[in-house]
Amino acid sequence: MNKAFAEIIAGMIPCRMERNRWRGILRYGLLRALKLKQKMRRNRTRPKYYLAVCAIAKNEGPYFKEWIEWHRKMGVEKFYIYDNGSTDCTREVLEPYVRSGVVEYTFFPGHRQQLAAYDDCFDRHRLDTRWLAVIDLDEFIVPVKDKTIPDFLHRMERFSVVEINWLIYGSGGAKTHEEGGVMERFRCHSLPGEWLNRHVKSIVDPRRVCTMTGCHEAARLSGKAADSHGNVIKDGFRHREPQQDVIRINHYAVKSYEEFLSKRARGRARTDSLRDMGYFKQYDLNDIKE
């Protein structure tokens, strides 16, 4: 369906959660979504993995090892990586993980390819994994009350989507890109109730989701979406207080000033516009030091 027409139809739905859900379904295609729903109801294929991650990235080679190793330690078994035309060391860094089968690498160049990459990942791998986390390279899923992410997800089996809030980490005053991991170098974060922390990322059951409505929310074919407390979500994330006491996503949006300038130069995965310099000021939040 034409995107503009889908926006008009979805805009007529009063409930924000349902509006976003139908925006995604209409973008995916209503008939296509209905066929997929019927197909998934009949399919009994046992998934190979309990938890996998899908991410699209460009020129983030130096950050991959820490990000992959953290999430492996937290229970992720497989990574579907979409390379949006990197010219740095991304392929070399990922090669050992590709050879071992931990990473499936897809070269995916072009502008505004984020949602297309997610669609491709869902279409190719929705039967391969019980849960699929859709996150970026500057985001680290941190279970707070559990040892691993699967420990948390075992309590969420009845839901088709779980939305997890950000906790934004600032530069801590760092001007240059120094040695060391991101989680080691940046230890100052925003106040938990900061408005930007209302943003979420989703871990989805790919058999009950057809697509992402953007980089935050998923379009469900069936089932309910839950917050990290296991409550059914009834409103959009911008209208809910952030939760970080059970599980959270550490969001290293800017890192050092030098690294932010590099990030800005890479462009954005969903739009052709660059982040302006106000983005650094907005996300450079250092209220609490760990």
Side-chain angles (χ1 to χ4, degrees):
M1 180 180 289
N2 179 273
K3 182 178 179 181
F5 187 54
E7 288 292 327
I8 293 172
I9 297 299
M12 299 170 64
I13 301 173
C15 174
R16 289 187 180 90
M17 281 298 294
E18 287 302 304
R19 185 189 311 153
N20 288 340
R21 176 193 177 200
W22 279 98
R23 181 179 289 117
I25 290 173
L26 293 171
R27 183 182 69 81
Y28 186 78
L30 183 58
L31 182 59
R32 186 182 174 201
L34 289 172
K35 288 180 178 178
L36 177 61
K37 184 176 181 179
Q38 292 299 320
K39 180 181 177 181
M40 291 299 102
R41 278 180 175 174
R42 295 191 298 266
N43 197 290
R44 294 293 182 268
T45 304
R46 185 181 179 87
K48 292 183 287 187
Y49 313 109
Y50 186 74
L51 175 60
V53 164
C54 174
I56 182 171
K58 181 176 182 179
N59 290 341
E60 301 212 48
Y63 303 106
F64 263 109
K65 189 176 189 302
E66 178 191 13
W67 182 83
I68 289 174
E69 292 299 335
W70 169 264
H71 286 102
R72 289 183 74 186
K73 185 171 67 174
M74 292 298 109
V76 176
E77 299 166 84
K78 187 76 173 183
F79 298 83
Y80 302 114
I81 303 301
Y82 287 76
D83 181 351
N84 189 214
S86 296
T87 56
D88 67 349
C89 61
T90 290
R91 192 66 175 91
E92 291 76 12
V93 172
L94 291 178
E95 185 58 33
Y97 297 108
V98 174
R99 289 199 306 267
S100 68
V102 171
V103 166
E104 180 168 316
Y105 172 90
T106 302
F107 191 65
F108 212 76
H111 295 291
R112 304 175 69 177
Q113 291 288 73
Q114 187 171 30
L115 295 185
Y118 295 160
D119 285 347
D120 184 80
C121 188
F122 284 177
D123 289 343
R124 292 169 58 188
H125 302 297
R126 68 174 72 250
L127 298 178
D128 295 339
T129 184
R130 173 62 181 82
W131 291 101
L132 183 67
V134 183
I135 59 175
D136 295 327
L137 265 290
D138 58 3
E139 296 170 331
F140 291 71
I141 304 174
V142 179
V144 177
K145 289 196 173 179
D146 298 281
K147 289 184 178 180
T148 68
I149 305 165
D151 289 342
F152 163 77
L153 291 172
H154 287 312
R155 300 195 298 275
M156 301 291 174
E157 295 280 352
R158 66 188 183 277
F159 300 110
S160 53
V161 177
V162 181
E163 295 185 358
I164 302 173
N165 285 102
W166 281 349
L167 183 63
I168 295 173
Y169 281 70
S171 71
K175 300 300 183 184
T176 59
H177 185 175
E178 299 178 358
E179 291 187 5
V182 170
M183 300 183 84
E184 172 191 354
R185 289 189 289 134
F186 303 105
R187 306 301 298 271
C188 296
H189 61 72
S190 65
L191 295 171
E194 159 66 39
W195 189 89
L196 286 170
N197 289 330
R198 294 187 180 199
H199 286 77
V200 297
K201 284 301 181 76
S202 295
I203 304 179
V204 310
D205 176 353
R207 301 183 188 213
R208 293 190 284 171
V209 164
C210 60
T211 187
M212 298 294 291
T213 61
C215 61
H216 300 288
E217 297 171 304
R220 291 168 283 113
L221 292 169
S222 62
K224 301 291 186 179
D227 61 24
S228 63
H229 288 175
N231 300 315
V232 174
I233 293 172
K234 298 180 180 179
D235 212 343
F237 64 83
R238 291 180 177 86
H239 301 272
R240 307 194 307 262
E241 290 298 318
Q243 302 168 345
Q244 297 116 351
D245 57 329
V246 176
I247 192 170
R248 69 180 192 241
I249 292 181
N250 287 9
H251 183 33
Y252 301 91
V254 295
K255 304 184 182 73
S256 68
Y257 186 69
E258 180 183 23
E259 287 165 284
F260 167 72
L261 294 180
S262 296
K263 176 178 181 174
R264 181 175 184 269
R266 288 196 297 268
R268 311 182 80 161
R270 283 195 64 201
T271 69
D272 292 328
S273 62
L274 295 178
R275 295 173 176 86
D276 60 28
M277 299 309 295
Y279 182 96
F280 184 87
K281 182 177 180 180
Q282 183 182 19
Y283 282 83
D284 186 23
L285 301 173
N286 305 282
D287 301 289
I288 298 174
K289 185 173 183 178
E290 292 180 343

